[in-house]
Amino acid sequence: PDDDCATSKTIQELESTVARLSQENDTLVEENASVSKENEKLARRFVELERALDTASIEASECRASLQSAENRISSLSEEKEELRETIRRIETEHTATIAELEGISQDLANSRSGEERAQEQLIELQQEAEEARREVESLSEQNRMLNSQVSSLNEYHTNAQEELESWQQAKEDLEAEVNT
């Protein structure tokens, strides 16, 4: 009878333990299902973040290409500007020489009446050349002003592109950090 009682008690304890373990197993199965769902969500989020990172990388590359193009254009415009400056200097020198020559001719005319018609024609030609040189200087000065404006615009575009590139790079680093966590 004592053995039957002890056996019955042991069976009850085992049944209780089995019920408790069964309940714990059910809880673990539920938790496992919840963790699996969370893992699926995280996997989808990871894919989204990878796509966003790829997009950000492409846009950053495009920004770098635009920035390089702008820098190349600025360099080209700077070269053109320097060439125009040289041309203006040359024309101004020619203009000064023409003015000096005109003054010399005028002095020659005042000193001598001989060859007056020829001198008058030369004077007119030189005045026309001087006027053409003046117009060319004005035209080149206007071109120089326009080039300065373009360089200024490209410098502003360059600055904006640089800031946008830095912004994209920061966004990329943030996305990479989020992906790695």
Side-chain angles (χ1 to χ4, degrees):
D2 284 338
D3 285 338
D4 286 341
C5 188
T7 301
S8 176
K9 189 175 181 180
T10 301
I11 289 174
Q12 286 176 349
E13 288 173 0
L14 287 173
E15 287 174 346
S16 173
T17 301
V18 167
R20 183 179 51 80
L21 290 173
S22 177
Q23 188 177 13
E24 287 178 9
N25 185 48
D26 290 345
T27 301
L28 290 173
V29 167
E30 289 175 10
E31 287 177 4
N32 188 36
S34 175
V35 167
S36 291
K37 286 180 184 178
E38 187 63 29
N39 280 343
E40 289 173 10
K41 286 181 188 177
L42 289 173
R44 284 191 299 270
R45 179 66 178 145
F46 180 76
V47 169
E48 290 171 5
L49 290 173
E50 280 185 326
R51 286 183 188 148
L53 182 60
D54 289 344
T55 300
S57 293
I58 290 168
E59 289 174 355
S61 293
E62 290 170 354
C63 282
R64 279 192 291 276
S66 293
L67 182 61
Q68 184 61 46
S69 176
E71 288 173 348
N72 291 343
R73 182 68 178 139
I74 287 170
S75 176
S76 174
L77 286 173
S78 294
E79 290 173 8
E80 285 181 39
K81 181 179 173 182
E82 190 55 39
E83 289 172 6
L84 282 173
R85 283 182 179 163
E86 287 299 320
T87 302
I88 288 169
R89 283 188 212 112
R90 181 184 50 79
I91 289 172
E92 286 174 344
T93 301
E94 289 173 3
H95 179 73
T96 302
T98 301
I99 296 295
E101 191 174 344
L102 280 173
E103 290 171 354
I105 289 172
S106 294
Q107 186 64 39
D108 289 346
L109 282 174
N111 294 338
S112 171
R113 291 283 191 199
S114 67
E116 189 173 343
E117 282 184 15
R118 188 180 60 78
Q120 191 66 21
E121 288 173 2
Q122 286 180 344
L123 180 60
I124 290 169
E125 286 176 10
L126 288 172
Q127 286 172 336
Q128 288 172 347
E129 287 177 14
E131 182 59 29
E132 287 175 12
R134 185 191 58 77
R135 281 193 295 255
E136 190 172 345
V137 165
E138 287 175 358
S139 173
L140 289 171
S141 293
E142 181 59 34
Q143 288 177 10
N144 190 32
R145 281 191 289 278
M146 290 181 355
L147 280 173
N148 283 336
S149 175
Q150 287 178 348
V151 168
S152 177
S153 295
L154 283 171
N155 282 335
E156 183 177 335
Y157 175 77
H158 178 266
T159 301
N160 291 339
Q162 186 69 36
E163 290 171 0
E164 187 174 340
L165 177 61
E166 290 170 5
S167 172
W168 278 110
Q169 287 174 337
Q170 183 62 46
K172 179 182 174 185
E173 291 171 11
D174 292 345
L175 283 172
E176 288 175 342
E178 188 174 336
V179 166
N180 290 333
T181 55

